[in-house]
C-alpha cells in the first residue's frame, strides 16, 4: 500500500494503522480512501489482531480531511452525494475490534470521519481540532453528525460554525470529551498502544460486543441524520469555483482555545 501502513504485533495482538501522506498533511485522496477500506476489511479476518491503533506520519497533522485535488464526480440530484470519506472508517467497514486514535498536530474536516468511528482518542499536546467547511462555503454535515455523538451540542456547534477562525486545543478537547487523554509531547502513539494492548488482552468477543453495543447506542440517530446530509450539502454548498476562491483567499489568523 502507498498511503496507509499496517504493522501487526502478534505478541500483543495490536495492529497499528498509519496514515502516510505527510507531504500532504495526511489529506485523504481517493487512493487513501480505498486503502483504508481495504485495511479495515483485512483486519476483520485477522484473528491475531484484537485491538487497533490509528495514527499518522509526520509532525504537522494527523489528517486534514479530503485532499482538495481529489476529483469526485457528483450526480445532479440534490438528494444524492458521492462522498468517498463515508467508507474510510472502521465501523463503515464492519470492524468491531476496538480502535484507539492517536492524534498530533492538525485534525480537521474529514479527519472527523476517522475520529468519529474510533472508540476513543489519545492526543499529543500539539493536537488541534477544527472544521473549515463553513469558511469555504461548504456544509459540515457528516462531520457534524459524527462529532455530535462525541461532544456537547454547544461545543460541536461552535467548532463547526467558527470554521478556520478557531481551533480547539488538546486541553479543551479533553475537557469536552472529544479526547480521553493528553500525553506528553510525542507520546500519543505509545499511550494509544498501551491502552490497545490492555484491550487486546481481554476476551475478544466480550470486547467486540461492547464496541458494537456502544456504537448501537447512537446508530439510529446517526442513520437518520446521515439521510439528511446529501441534500443539505447539495443545497448549501457554494459552487466548486467559489469554494476554491475562498480557500485561496483564506485568512491565516486563528485563535486556539
Amino acid at each position: 500500500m502507498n498511503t496507509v501502513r499496517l504493522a501487526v504485533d502478534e505478541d500483543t495482538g495490536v495492529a497499528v494503522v498509519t496514515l502516510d501522506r505527510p507531504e500532504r498533511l495526511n489529506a485523504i485522496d481517493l487512493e487513501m480512501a480505498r486503502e483504508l477500506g481495504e485495511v479495515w476489511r483485512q483486519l476483520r479476518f485477522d484473528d491475531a489482531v484484537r485491538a487497533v491503533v490509528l495514527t499518522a506520519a509526520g509532525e504537522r497533522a494527523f489528517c486534514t480531511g479530503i485532499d482538495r485535488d481529489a476529483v469526485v464526480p457528483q450526480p445532479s440530484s440534490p438528494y444524492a452525494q458521492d462522498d468517498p470519506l463515508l467508507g474510510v472508517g472502521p465501523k463503515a467497514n464492519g470492524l468491531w475490534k476496538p480502535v484507539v486514535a492517536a492524534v498530533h498536530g492538525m485534525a480537521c474536516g474529514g479527519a472527523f470521519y476517522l475520529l468519529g468511528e474510533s472508540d476513543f482518542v489519545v492526543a499529543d499536546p500539539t493536537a488541534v481540532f477544527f472544521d473549515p467547511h463553513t469558511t469555504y462555503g461548504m456544509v459540515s454535515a457528516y462531520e457534524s453528525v459524527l462529532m455530535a455523538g462525541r461532544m456537547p451540542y454547544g461545543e460541536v456547534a461552535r467548532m463547526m460554525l467558527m470554521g478556520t477562525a478557531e481551533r480547539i486545543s488538546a486541553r479543551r478537547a479533553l475537557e469536552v470529551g472529544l479526547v480521553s487523554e493528553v500525553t506528553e509531547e510525542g507520546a500519543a502513539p505509545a499511550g494509544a498502544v498501551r491502552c490497545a494492548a490492555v484491550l487486546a488482552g481481554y476476551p475478544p468477543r466480550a470486547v467486540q460486543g461492547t464496541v458494537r453495543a456502544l456504537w448501537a447506542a447512537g446508530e439510529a440517530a446517526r442513520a437518520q441524520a446521515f439521510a439528511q446530509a446529501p441534500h443539505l450539502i447539495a443545497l448549501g454548498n457554494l459552487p466548486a469555483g467559489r469554494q476554491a476562491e475562498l480557500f485561496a483567499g483564506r485568512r491565516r489568523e486563528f485563535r486556539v482555545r
Side-chain angles (χ1 to χ4, degrees), residues 91 111-119 146-147 150 215 222:
K91 308 297 189 296
F112 296 129
Y113 287 75
L114 292 169
L115 298 184
E117 292 197 15
S118 297
D119 295 295
L146 287 164
M147 288 299 98
R150 309 298 289 263
W215 187 253
R222 250 187 324 269

Side-chain angles (χ1 to χ4, degrees), residues 1-6 20 31-32 34-40 42:
M1 291 188 176
N2 297 317
T3 67
V4 179
R5 288 188 276 118
L6 173 63
D20 195 16
E31 181 178 9
M32 180 182 275
R34 178 183 59 77
E35 290 183 359
L36 279 166
E38 289 180 359
V39 164
W40 301 129
Q42 176 183 337

Side-chain angles (χ1 to χ4, degrees), residues 21-26 56-64 103-108 124 126-128 130 167 250 252 254:
R21 298 187 76 217
E23 73 286 354
R24 296 289 292 180
L25 301 179
N26 295 308
E59 297 181 356
R60 293 181 59 195
F62 169 77
C63 177
T64 53
V103 176
H104 66 278
M106 291 182 287
C108 61
D124 181 288
T126 65
V128 288
F130 63 101
R167 298 182 181 185
R250 66 193 182 280
R252 304 291 181 173
F254 57 87

Side-chain angles (χ1 to χ4, degrees), residues 171-248:
R171 174 193 57 79
R172 183 60 180 162
L174 178 65
E175 291 173 350
V176 301
L178 174 57
V179 164
S180 65
E181 178 185 356
V182 178
T183 67
E184 295 180 359
E185 188 165 341
V193 168
R194 183 181 65 251
C195 292
V198 171
L199 303 180
Y202 295 154
R205 290 192 179 187
V207 171
Q208 292 173 34
T210 302
V211 169
R212 187 66 186 89
L214 287 164
W215 187 253
E219 201 161 27
R222 250 187 324 269
Q224 291 180 348
F226 272 21
Q228 303 296 317
H231 54 275
L232 292 176
I233 294 169
L235 294 170
N237 277 13
L238 290 176
R242 180 58 180 145
Q243 292 178 28
E245 290 174 2
L246 291 172
F247 182 79

Side-chain angles (χ1 to χ4, degrees), residues 105 107 112 125-131 151 155-156 158-160 163 166-176 178-179 254-257:
F112 296 129
T126 65
V128 288
F129 305 85
F130 63 101
D131 191 342
M151 300 164 63
E155 292 293 335
V156 180
R158 180 165 179 166
M159 180 168 70
M160 300 316 190
E166 281 190 351
R167 298 182 181 185
I168 295 179
S169 66
R171 174 193 57 79
R172 183 60 180 162
L174 178 65
E175 291 173 350
V176 301
L178 174 57
V179 164
F254 57 87
R255 173 177 181 262
V256 178
R257 66 179 185 93

